[in-house]
Structures are given as structure tokens and as C-alpha cells.
Amino acid sequence: MAQNNTGSSATTQVTLGWVWVGIPLAWGVIVTIQNVAKLFQ
Amino acid sequence: MTFLDRSHSVAGPGFSRWLVPPAALCIHLCIGQAYAFSVFNKPLAQLLCSAAQACPPATEKAISTTPGDWSITDVGWIFSLAIVFLGLSAAVFGRWVESAGPRKAMFAAACLFCGGLIVSGLGVMAHNLPLIFLGYGVIGGCGLGIGYISPVSTLIKWFPDRPGLATGTAIMGFGGGALIGAPLAVGLMKYYSSPTSNGVAPTMITMAVIYFVYMIVGALLVRLPADGWRPAGWTPPTAEVAAARMMTTRNVVVGDAVKTPQFWLLWAVLFLNVSAGIGVLGQASLMIQEVLGVSVAAAAGFVGLLSLFNMGGRIFWASTSDTIGRKQTYMIFFALGAVLYALTPSLGHWHAIVLFVLAYGIILSMYGGGFATIPAYLRDMFGTVQVGAIHGVLLTAWSAAGVAGPLILNKLRDYELANGVAKADAYSMTMYIMAGLLVIGFICNWLVRPVADRHYMPTTPTVGGELIA
């Protein structure tokens, strides 16, 4: 049981870590793609 | 502050190594803002005219005619200084980063980079260019260098099975930092602008605070693997496999590594790959406008697309190198890059816009891939013990290329225009010369051979930080 708790805690930490860096990165990529779209208009 | 020490950042049982790449990304996504510094160039060159509400209309080419306003050339030195100090600080502090550990190094990088932004903001308030050079160029540049190398050796130790993927993920963040830094700065300048200010100083200070929080989170998340740790189910490659892939089973210290021809061949490989790419990056907007006659907005889209290829190439090529090998990956960069550079003038003449954009996209993906694959290449050649410090010294090639690349492109373009060549054709000769640089890079990479026995440390052999039985 203790091992399961450690495993789920690590998974939560990893998920939060990737969300923390993923949100600004995704925002930057979306803004850039919006600018790229102007190239082919 | 003992929690910053190397001994306090060793992972306990149950820690997932997949938390280390986001920790590294916290640093690289922030310091990658350097690639987006050009969004400040025009506002910095219009500080006095915007205060006096006397700036030329946006439709005119003049930046400012107000006495005392800086020129774009003056302002351009801020980025160049930052890149020079990135390389110098990575070289000088590389050994300290290895001994202090990633957490202390990331903390130092956060203080320097964000402190540099604040000093620059004060320099903008005082309209003092040397203070901005000191802030962003020198102090911030040192933060860039220490931050850039801080997670590299830690990632290599956590991912001995996939070092290219691991370092590629972090270094992808440096490419991605521009995608965040540019719209963030533009949005903040718009928010802070007033009839008598274009909002540069508060933007820099706000960005410093936001980036500091992100970087400190990275420093708190990062962990070193415990001695003897290895990924579950992974066994180090046999000596035969390691030899076939040119992966050393031993270690070279940084002082000995710089005495080897392999180090200088790899220095030349990075220098030539970066010189070819960085020259295009700096001129991409102007180039596509003059060659294909597209609008300014479309040119901005082209620059954005190149940034996406630059970022994506870092993770794609670095992880590919885990499968096909580092030397082979660089062979592709140089061979394919030279062919594409040689083709782009013709694509411009034919107005083949999709192929033109695609060719430059692939070139920029290999530019990013070159940065991301080099740490794993160094690990293969010199082992893991001082790979961070060796990587730091090698980054002086980036500093040199940061000056040489744009210089070559600008001088050649000016020479062509002075000799009556049409604007649309002025880039052709430059592209052929870039192709030539890549051919030299191909030869340098081809010449790389395993390091001679005399340079290795007299210790038990390792692969990926693991002892070989």
C-alpha cells in the first residue's frame, strides 16, 4: 500500500511538473502558429 | 541555504526521473527568452521619441529622428554581448556547475538572468545604454551560460539509455523560450505603454519576476540520481557495442579533453553548424521579403515557422541520434544542409514559396538539432564525469558563431548590393558560401575518431555513469 502511495505521488508530481512547463509552451506555440497562418494567407 | 547543496539534492526512493526534464525546461524556457530579445530593439531605439510623442509613424522606415535616441545597431550589441557572455561563463563556470550540483547552479542562473533583466530595466529608466549592456549582456549573459549547462550532466546521468532524448528535451526549451518570450514581452509592453512611455522598463522588471518564480521551481524540482542508480531493466551496452557506436567506456577530465583533436573538431562542427543557421535566423524576415516579395506580416509568420522548426528539430534530431548515432546524425545535418542551402536560391527564383519555406525549416531544424545533440556526442567521446564542464567550454563555439554568422551574412549582402546585384539575388552567393561552410563541417565531423588512451582517467570504465562489470 505504501509503495502504491509513493507511486501515485510520483505520478502526480510528474504530471504537475509537465503541466507547469506545458501551459506556457503550448501558449507560445499557439500564438506562433497564428502568426505562421498569415504567411499563407 | 544548505538545501541548495549537491548533497541535499540527491533523489530519494520513489522519485521519478521524468520530473527532471520539466525541471530543466523551467530553466531553458526562461533563458530562451534571449532569442526573442529583438522584440525590444525597436522600442529601445524609440525611448526618447516615445516620451516626447514624436516617433515616426509605423508606416515609415525611420526608427527615430529624436536626438539622443539609440540606433538599432547600438541596441543590437545587447544580444551579441549576452551570447558572448553565455559562452564565456559556460566555459569558466562549467567545473563549478559540476561540483556545486544542478540545484545551486540553477539558483545562481535564476539570480543572474533575472537580476540582469532588472538592471536592464533600470538602465532603460535612466536611458543608460552601458547599464543595459552590463545588465542583460554581462550579468544576464552569465545567467544564460550557467543556466544552459546546469541540467545537462544531470539529465545524462538520469537517462543513460536515452541521453539524446533527455538533453534534447531541455535544449528544446531554449528554442521554445523565444515562442513564449516574444508574445509575453509584446503583451506586457502594450499593457504598460502610456502616451509618454512604450513600457519597456516595467516589462523587463515584470518578466524578471515571472522568470525568477519559474526558474526557482526548476531548482527545487531537480534531483541527482543516487550513486549506483540505473533505470529499471537497463543494462549498460557491452564494450563491443559501445566501441561500434563510438561510445567511450571511460572518462576524460575537462583539462585533458581540450587537449584532444576530437574536442576541437567538435568545436568546429558546432561553430560551422551554428554559423550557417544563426546568420539566416537574424535575417529571415528581411530575406523572405526581398527574395519572394511577401508582406511584413507574412515575413513575421516565416520567422515564427522557423522558430517552430528550430524547437522541434532539437528533440527530433537529438532523440534520433540515440538510434542512429551522433556522428551519423551530424553527417545528415551537414550533407542535407549543404544541398538545401545550395537549392534555396533556385527555389527563390522559381517563387516556389512552399519549397523555399520548407527548405529553410529543415535547415533550422538541423541548426536546433546541432545544439541538442552535442551534449550526447560529448558524453560518447569523453564520458559522463565532466561532460557538463566540457560542454561549457565547447559553447564558446556558439559565442564565436554568434558574431561570425551574422557578420558573414551582412557583409556579403552589403558587398553584393554595392556591386549592383538586385536585392532579390543578393542572398544567392551567401547561401552558396553557407553550403561551403557545411561541407567543411562534414569533413570535420568525418575526421572525429575515438579519443586516444592516454587522455582517459585511470579509473574503472563507465558507460552512462554506470560501471561496467
Side-chain angles (χ1 to χ4, degrees):
Chain A
M1 181 66 84
Q3 222 168 17
N4 280 347
N5 284 344
T6 310
S8 65
S9 164
T11 307
T12 308
Q13 283 178 11
V14 170
T15 307
L16 287 174
W18 281 101
V19 168
W20 176 252
V21 292
I23 289 173
L25 186 57
W27 174 70
V29 169
I30 289 166
V31 172
T32 306
I33 288 172
Q34 286 171 342
N35 285 331
V36 170
K38 292 173 190 163
L39 177 63
F40 298 103
Q41 278 172 1
Chain B
M1 300 291 266
T2 53
F3 73 99
L4 294 174
D5 290 346
R6 188 184 183 91
S7 57
H8 285 83
S9 52
V10 176
F15 179 83
S16 170
R17 63 174 175 159
W18 291 101
L19 203 50
V20 182
L25 279 170
C26 284
I27 302 297
H28 274 241
L29 284 174
C30 293
I31 60 175
Q33 182 273 340
Y35 271 146
F37 191 83
S38 61
V39 298
F40 288 122
N41 285 357
K42 192 176 171 191
L44 281 171
Q46 291 187 326
L47 288 175
L48 297 182
C49 75
S50 66
Q53 297 177 281
C55 290
T59 48
E60 290 182 16
K61 280 193 174 175
I63 301 293
S64 170
T65 50
T66 304
D69 256 338
W70 304 317
S71 69
I72 288 287
T73 310
D74 293 337
V75 171
W77 279 105
I78 303 168
F79 174 75
S80 300
L81 259 181
I83 293 296
V84 168
F85 274 87
L86 182 158
L88 292 177
S89 60
V92 171
F93 296 110
R95 262 187 275 201
W96 174 79
V97 169
E98 288 286 351
S99 62
R103 186 175 286 172
K104 195 177 274 186
M106 287 177 175
F107 182 77
C111 293
L112 288 166
F113 181 66
C114 301
L117 267 172
I118 290 173
V119 172
S120 288
L122 297 175
V124 173
M125 284 180 195
H127 201 259
N128 185 328
L129 192 57
L131 196 56
I132 303 176
F133 287 158
L134 174 71
Y136 197 88
V138 179
I139 302 172
C142 289
L144 290 177
I146 293 172
Y148 193 92
I149 60 171
S150 59
V152 167
S153 69
T154 305
L155 282 164
I156 285 176
K157 284 165 191 154
W158 275 113
F159 291 86
D161 47 341
R162 281 177 279 189
L165 171 72
T167 56
T169 306
I171 291 170
M172 173 198 74
F174 199 84
L179 306 187
I180 299 166
L184 180 63
V186 169
L188 285 171
M189 282 191 285
K190 199 173 169 188
Y191 176 76
Y192 286 120
S193 65
S194 68
T196 55
S197 164
N198 53 19
V200 179
T203 294
M204 286 181 167
I205 293 167
T206 306
M207 288 176 84
V209 174
I210 295 170
Y211 284 151
F212 189 76
V213 172
Y214 254 88
M215 292 173 84
I216 291 301
V217 169
L220 294 174
L221 286 179
V222 77
R223 296 284 189 283
L224 279 164
D227 285 341
W229 179 89
R230 67 171 61 176
W234 179 75
T235 49
T238 60
E240 290 74 25
V241 171
R245 297 281 300 273
M246 231 167 64
M247 291 163 60
T248 184
T249 56
R250 290 174 289 171
N251 293 287
V252 183
V253 295
V254 62
D256 289 333
V258 297
K259 294 175 190 161
T260 63
Q262 287 81 358
F263 176 87
W264 293 105
L265 285 169
L266 291 180
W267 194 97
V269 160
L270 187 66
F271 173 79
L272 292 163
N273 194 47
V274 176
S275 293
I278 210 166
V280 172
L281 259 181
Q283 295 291 324
S285 173
L286 192 61
M287 183 176 68
I288 195 167
Q289 288 176 62
E290 292 184 351
V291 174
L292 293 179
V294 302
S295 68
V296 176
F302 176 59
V303 175
L305 193 65
L306 294 187
S307 302
L308 285 176
F309 273 98
N310 178 12
M311 185 183 80
R314 291 171 188 242
I315 193 150
F316 173 77
W317 289 111
S319 50
T320 300
S321 76
D322 284 337
T323 308
I324 65 172
R326 321 300 167 198
K327 188 171 180 176
Q328 290 76 3
T329 305
Y330 276 90
M331 289 296 191
I332 295 173
F333 291 167
F334 289 121
L336 183 58
V339 170
L340 290 174
Y341 265 120
L343 273 177
T344 50
S346 303
L347 296 174
H349 281 298
W350 301 331
H351 276 257
I353 185 164
V354 174
L355 291 176
F356 184 89
V357 169
L358 189 65
Y360 275 111
I362 295 170
I363 286 170
L364 264 293
S365 83
M366 296 188 293
Y367 164 80
F371 278 118
T373 310
I374 204 78
Y377 206 163
L378 291 172
R379 185 210 73 151
D380 289 356
M381 300 305 299
F382 302 109
T384 58
V385 168
Q386 290 200 346
V387 67
I390 297 167
H391 185 217
V393 181
L394 196 86
L395 289 181
T396 51
W398 185 2
S399 298
V403 176
L407 200 69
I408 294 170
L409 200 72
N410 293 336
K411 290 285 177 196
L412 281 171
R413 182 173 172 277
D414 291 347
Y415 175 81
E416 297 271 296
L417 292 177
N419 284 283
V421 177
K423 272 187 176 179
D425 297 326
Y427 291 99
S428 299
M429 182 56 71
T430 314
M431 294 308 132
Y432 295 135
I433 288 177
M434 294 293 172
L437 289 181
L438 292 181
V439 170
I440 299 170
F442 185 93
I443 295 166
C444 291
N445 184 53
W446 179 72
L447 289 172
V448 174
R449 299 282 185 272
V451 174
D453 278 349
R454 66 179 182 280
H455 296 294
Y456 287 108
M457 290 166 70
T459 53
T460 315
T462 65
V463 161
E466 294 297 318
L467 295 175
I468 299 234

